[in-house]
Amino acid sequence: MPALAEAFREHGYDGASLAVLSKATGLGKGSLYNFFPGGKEEMMAAVLDDIDRWFADAIFRPLEDISSPAKAIGLMFDVVSAYFQSGRRVCIIGSLGLNAAGEVFAARVRQYFARWIGAVARCLERGSVPPALAVEHAEEAISGIQGAIVLTRALGDEAAFARVVDRLRSSLLDALDRSG
């Protein structure tokens, strides 16, 4: 699964031909079809399932379960920075949402971002941030993380990701301080 994910990350859904996926995984095309009879669409769905499980465990559950909202928010930014390798690693789900190939997975993309925004907003609400303001902050944080990935890759500047993420972290923690 990691090899498939990295191939889709590097080449995008449209650019990840069976030859590219075969080379990335070390499996012949026949073996890939044996594991994924639905072809590339089934492969991407399996990658999205794997990403969903990872985000549920590493991002969503801590935001929902850690009793200290500030600690949960801090952990989210630490984990996100590591996962996206300080902006060097493309967000597969984000990139799917940007092109026509993503239409096949539009519901999955929407669900991913809605769940992330919702988890951050509910965490902020537990810290007494008013609901409407919590959603605004959550949308800004998630869109900022995604934008920082694009900016970092476009500029080739990892420090840009760190600066944006630090500002987003401070903004959410400040919202908690003002409301708590």
Side-chain angles (χ1 to χ4, degrees):
M1 208 51 56
L4 281 175
E6 291 310 315
F8 283 122
R9 225 182 274 294
E10 184 64 30
H11 299 281
Y13 182 76
D14 287 334
S17 65
L18 283 179
V20 166
L21 296 169
S22 176
K23 182 178 179 185
T25 60
L27 298 171
K29 293 177 187 176
S31 293
L32 281 173
Y33 274 114
N34 185 48
F35 288 115
F36 302 99
K40 189 164 77 167
E41 187 174 324
E42 186 177 350
M43 291 177 216
M44 178 58 90
V47 166
L48 293 177
D49 289 344
D50 192 55
I51 290 169
D52 186 56
R53 279 188 296 277
W54 186 89
F55 264 80
D57 291 340
I59 303 287
F60 305 143
R61 280 195 193 100
L63 285 169
E64 294 162 353
D65 295 343
I66 293 177
S67 61
S68 165
K71 183 176 178 181
I73 293 295
L75 178 64
M76 178 193 74
F77 282 109
D78 292 344
V79 170
V80 161
S81 293
Y83 180 79
F84 291 118
Q85 298 174 357
S86 299
R88 292 186 317 273
R89 190 177 199 205
V90 172
C91 176
I92 294 174
I93 298 172
S95 67
L96 270 177
L98 296 174
N99 59 51
E103 290 177 19
V104 173
F105 303 102
R108 298 282 303 266
V109 171
R110 193 170 27 260
Q111 177 185 17
Y112 166 82
F113 284 110
R115 183 164 182 202
W116 196 357
I117 290 165
V120 171
R122 285 185 300 279
C123 181
L124 293 171
E125 287 175 38
R126 281 197 329 274
S128 300
V129 175
L133 187 57
V135 170
E136 287 178 24
H137 280 297
E139 288 173 341
E140 184 176 318
I142 305 317
S143 65
I145 290 166
Q146 293 296 312
I149 293 167
V150 172
L151 186 65
T152 295
R153 292 189 50 94
L155 297 176
D157 179 12
E158 285 179 38
F161 185 86
R163 287 190 303 271
V164 170
V165 166
D166 286 345
R167 283 192 302 270
L168 293 168
R169 179 192 312 252
S170 292
S171 175
L172 295 187
L173 294 176
D174 287 349
L176 287 169
D177 284 343
R178 285 190 304 274
S179 298

